[in-house]
Amino acid sequence: MYPLNNKNISIIIILLTFALSCKKEDASNATTGSLKLEIEHLANDTTLSLGKEYTNPSGEKMIFSRFDYYISNIILTKIDGTTYTVPRDSSYHLIQFDGLANPTITLKNVPFGDYNKVTFTIGVDSLKNTEDVTMRTGDLDISNGMYWSWNSGYIFLKAEGTYNSDTSKKFKYHIGLYGNSASGGGVNNVKTITLASASDYATVRSNIIPQIHLSAEVMELFKTPNTFSISATPMIMASPNSKQIADNYSDMFTLEHIHN
Amino acid sequence: MKEKYSYIFILILSVYSCQKIEKDPSLTSHFPPIVQSFRNDLLQEVDGFELGKKLFYDPILSKDSSVSCASCHQQQYAFSDGTKQFSKGIFGQLGRRNTPAIQNLIWQHSFFSDGGVAHIDFISYSPIESPLEMNESTAHIIQKLLKSAKYKKEFQKSFGDTIINSSRFSQVLTAFLKEMVSPNSKYDQYMRGEVMLNDQEKKGMVLFNQKCATCHSGVLQSDFKYRNNGTFSANPMDSGRYRISLSVQDIYLFKTPSLRNIALTAPYMHHGHLNTLEEVLNYYSQSVQSISPIDPTLKDGIILSKIEQTQIIQFLNTLTDETFLNNNRLKQ
């Protein structure tokens, strides 16, 4: 009925080619991958340990018992200047230092490319601070202990401990405030910073998940631009002087290196 | 024949009284626009009214399970704490401000006398986490609820699964709180053209509009703005709105409250130091002039004769809403 002549063979070959090419799962159509941000916490250039005594820039002996903070609104910039903004629903991360493995944030769906800058907010922006309660889940859950119930808003950074080698002398710095004030006098401690690598870049590829290694020097809480004494002010919560600490810690991060 | 009509009339009446009065929009048609907004801008909430009510009346929300929301928010006093200046929280501690009423929340833009909370979903965390009130952490409450077979079942009913977190906790409490609506005082019925005010009440209303409505304006008797009415002098340690905004012009400013059910919510002011409405009107008439700093509109006081005070109080009594105070649906 259907002789295997040249015409028919050609038709079969053409049909087979279509069939085979349509079946192929095209892995090379992927255009996004992952990138990791790893944060190492330092105290005076050495690895931070909770419970260990250090001397702060004001010459005071002190011990950290807690160092927690939010990182959010992450933007990656390629060497050509174009950017990738991490979607809001995956851009809020609560870092709770525990002295175990370095906290690592894995960003997914990052477009392939070469990235040499990372921008992020220390804390939680004003929009998120006023969003519906159904958005307050995961790291943004009210029950994480990083929220002021009496003055609706997130605590951006919580540093607690003792000082003067005296376990009864406690310090507590709960830094928040996103500029919400009807009279416009509100303190705004939301800090956005950009870290750039001078020569390296992170290559996001289908087979490469680069790591951008950051460090956070916790002693920056106490200096530049404000030399801060714990014994003078051991407690700061929702008050105007929280600005001093926020201004200080906005330069606590450094982009150390990049692994590809 | 007449009997038949009586039966029909009684039937209609009983149907009407079974209606959820707090949900009947025709009763609040004279209210200002609703201020609070919700998920997707709809007031249709998760079906959490009954669960929210259970939580409201359950002392499990406090650290030692001794204090519930209802301990200090009693329905017969429009969900304020009756005659107490300060409420007793956990371990017998006294609070620092007079407990406010809970009513008509969705028509308000902020909560607490310093406006520290702007959305109804976030109200409950403040008394829950206050060391003087319930002294509990949100995380621990969630743990307690997850250990309760009863609550797991309730959350399953409302959400379709047994996940319990702070977001869902907020949503079901809101589902209950938002229905604490008081729309049926004599004043409301008058505004809807259903009843007449008597002579004294009418005179009181006219005086009220002249002398009080600069601040206590509109159908809810407040513009909810923050003002210094001099009552900081009862406790100068309490800086009011300043504590929230950190704006120096906000020192000693407190939110102007609604006056609904005011006859039931004594004692008065954020510090609860004025015990009767007479004392309040005397304060405005005779004491406020000697206090500084003070809101400019009050520096000469609000001079009222005894008769005028009596008439204003007659009007304020028309703000009492028996339907709200006795609403069975809000009872435990």
Side-chain angles (χ1 to χ4, degrees):
Chain A
M1 270 264 257
Y2 292 103
L4 217 54
N5 56 29
N6 280 343
K7 180 174 157 217
N8 285 344
I9 288 173
S10 313
I11 290 169
I12 289 168
I13 288 171
I14 289 165
L15 287 174
L16 273 175
T17 312
F18 276 130
L20 288 172
S21 62
C22 284
K23 268 192 185 153
K24 205 193 293 182
E25 286 261 310
D26 204 343
S28 67
N29 272 346
T31 54
T32 64
S34 298
L35 180 148
K36 295 189 186 205
L37 292 174
E38 183 183 332
I39 308 173
E40 185 187 359
H41 294 82
L42 306 172
N44 294 329
D45 266 333
T46 63
T47 306
L48 171 68
S49 283
L50 298 178
K52 182 171 170 182
E53 189 164 77
Y54 298 98
T55 304
N56 76 0
S58 298
E60 299 165 311
K61 295 255 184 279
M62 52 148 322
I63 294 173
F64 280 102
S65 61
R66 184 172 186 157
F67 196 85
D68 301 345
Y69 56 93
Y70 276 102
I71 282 191
S72 65
N73 292 291
I74 301 168
I75 301 172
L76 300 171
T77 306
K78 291 186 191 170
I79 54 181
D80 69 357
T82 59
T83 59
Y84 168 67
T85 302
V86 176
R88 278 176 82 70
D89 63 8
S90 40
S91 200
Y92 291 84
H93 301 272
L94 175 58
I95 308 294
Q96 295 172 300
F97 180 78
D98 58 13
L100 304 173
N102 284 342
T104 301
I105 298 169
T106 303
L107 304 174
K108 302 204 164 133
N109 305 311
V110 180
F112 292 154
D114 302 334
Y115 296 90
N116 67 338
K117 278 192 210 167
V118 57
T119 301
F120 56 86
T121 295
I122 307 171
V124 180
D125 54 279
S126 60
L127 181 58
K128 180 61 74 179
N129 264 299
T130 50
E131 274 179 9
D132 194 84
V133 79
T134 49
M135 316 283 258
R136 316 302 186 97
T137 55
D139 282 9
L140 290 166
D141 197 307
I142 303 300
S143 61
N144 281 321
M146 295 291 280
Y147 192 83
W148 280 319
S149 58
W150 55 278
N151 185 358
S152 295
Y154 286 96
I155 298 170
F156 303 159
L157 182 142
K158 214 184 226 194
E160 295 180 350
T162 59
Y163 62 102
N164 282 1
S165 307
D166 183 348
T167 53
S168 69
K169 286 201 147 32
K170 296 188 188 333
F171 71 86
K172 283 188 187 185
Y173 300 128
H174 298 183
I175 312 301
L177 301 175
Y178 56 94
N180 177 30
S181 165
S183 28
V187 175
N188 189 338
N189 288 324
V190 176
K191 299 291 182 193
T192 301
I193 62 172
T194 298
L195 304 169
S197 169
S199 46
D200 294 332
Y201 44 86
T203 55
V204 177
R205 303 284 188 273
S206 60
N207 58 343
I208 303 174
I209 300 177
Q211 278 182 50
I212 300 183
H213 192 109
L214 307 177
S215 67
E217 170 59 68
V218 301
M219 289 306 172
E220 282 295 334
L221 246 59
F222 306 107
K223 65 177 162 96
T224 48
N226 305 297
T227 307
F228 197 89
S229 157
I230 302 178
S231 49
T233 316
M235 298 280 172
I236 293 184
M237 298 196 181
S239 61
N241 56 5
S242 62
K243 188 176 185 311
Q244 288 178 36
I245 301 246
D247 287 346
N248 280 356
Y249 69 55
S250 58
D251 63 355
M252 78 174 170
F253 291 97
T254 305
L255 197 161
E256 295 285 356
H257 51 258
I258 298 175
H259 297 298
N260 283 314
Chain B
M1 209 37 178
K2 264 200 191 149
E3 260 183 31
K4 188 177 167 187
Y5 283 131
S6 320
Y7 286 144
I8 290 171
F9 182 64
I10 289 165
L11 193 66
I12 291 169
L13 258 189
S14 59
V15 166
Y16 182 87
S17 65
C18 284
Q19 262 183 8
K20 292 169 186 172
I21 209 160
E22 62 280 358
K23 285 173 100 113
D24 184 348
S26 70
L27 294 177
T28 54
S29 55
H30 59 295
F31 275 30
I34 289 171
V35 167
Q36 292 286 317
S37 62
F38 301 86
R39 14 258 164 234
N40 307 320
D41 240 356
L42 296 171
L43 284 184
Q44 282 299 112
E45 287 298 295
V46 66
D47 181 13
F49 177 86
E50 290 298 333
L51 173 49
K53 181 162 69 163
K54 285 195 171 70
L55 290 168
F56 184 86
Y57 284 101
D58 195 339
I60 199 180
L61 300 195
S62 60
K63 194 183 185 83
D64 64 354
S65 293
S66 65
V67 173
S68 70
C69 309
S71 304
C72 308
H73 292 282
Q74 300 180 53
Q75 183 172 10
Q76 68 205 106
Y77 301 116
F79 293 102
S80 71
D81 204 3
T83 53
K84 300 203 190 74
Q85 182 180 15
F86 303 120
S87 299
K88 229 182 231 183
I90 208 169
F91 313 134
Q93 300 174 98
L94 288 180
R96 294 208 194 107
R97 288 187 184 145
N98 183 253
T99 299
I102 305 179
Q103 52 186 352
N104 299 332
L105 298 183
I106 60 178
W107 285 274
Q108 298 181 43
H109 62 70
S110 67
F111 306 102
F112 304 106
S113 53
D114 57 20
V117 174
H119 198 280
I120 189 176
D121 288 333
F122 294 92
I123 293 175
S124 64
Y125 298 113
S126 184
I128 282 171
E129 297 195 349
S130 161
L132 299 176
E133 301 179 46
M134 295 160 117
N135 197 6
E136 183 56 288
S137 75
T138 307
H140 197 224
I141 287 181
I142 303 301
Q143 281 174 27
K144 286 196 267 196
L145 296 178
L146 283 167
K147 287 200 187 114
S148 155
K150 168 183 99 171
Y151 277 115
K152 287 226 292 268
K153 202 153 96 183
E154 290 291 338
F155 274 88
Q156 165 96 43
K157 262 198 269 178
S158 292
F159 292 99
D161 61 54
T162 52
I163 293 172
I164 304 178
N165 56 30
S166 66
S167 168
R168 287 182 169 187
F169 175 83
S170 285
Q171 290 175 61
V172 300
L173 256 183
T174 290
F176 175 61
L177 292 174
K178 80 178 197 349
E179 294 193 20
M180 289 176 165
V181 178
S182 173
N184 210 39
S185 63
K186 184 171 184 180
Y187 167 78
D188 290 305
Q189 292 169 34
Y190 164 75
M191 292 297 281
R192 292 193 301 260
E194 294 161 13
V195 304
M196 309 250 285
L197 297 185
N198 68 34
D199 188 57
Q200 292 296 291
E201 289 166 349
K202 257 216 198 97
K203 289 202 164 93
M205 186 168 79
V206 168
L207 281 166
F208 181 87
N209 286 336
Q210 284 169 358
K211 310 270 186 170
C212 317
T214 307
C215 309
H216 291 287
S217 56
V219 161
L220 297 177
Q221 291 74 39
S222 179
D223 60 7
F224 303 109
K225 291 197 171 131
Y226 304 101
R227 290 187 173 87
N228 177 356
N229 73 346
T231 50
F232 74 88
S233 54
N235 178 17
M237 296 297 289
D238 186 347
S239 58
R241 179 68 183 160
Y242 171 77
R243 191 166 158 252
I244 303 299
S245 73
L246 301 180
S247 226
V248 292
Q249 53 256 54
D250 285 345
I251 293 176
Y252 296 147
L253 269 57
F254 294 85
K255 194 174 65 178
T256 308
S258 167
L259 301 182
R260 291 313 192 96
N261 292 293
I262 195 74
L264 283 310
T265 61
Y268 303 107
M269 304 299 169
H270 67 275
H271 195 67
H273 61 294
L274 299 177
N275 290 314
T276 64
L277 292 174
E278 286 81 1
E279 279 181 47
V280 171
L281 297 182
N282 272 329
Y283 168 77
Y284 279 122
S285 194
Q286 293 162 22
S287 309
V288 88
Q289 298 88 323
S290 56
I291 298 176
S292 179
I294 191 88
D295 189 286
T297 59
L298 290 172
K299 68 173 171 58
D300 297 327
I302 305 177
I303 312 297
L304 295 166
S305 69
K306 273 276 163 272
I307 292 176
E308 289 175 326
Q309 290 188 22
T310 304
Q311 288 167 342
I312 288 179
I313 290 173
Q314 288 299 301
F315 168 68
L316 292 176
N317 287 339
T318 70
L319 302 176
T320 299
D321 181 350
E322 296 291 347
T323 327
F324 172 61
L325 302 172
N326 296 310
N327 188 339
N328 280 323
R329 199 165 164 265
L330 302 176
K331 291 198 174 124
Q332 189 163 12

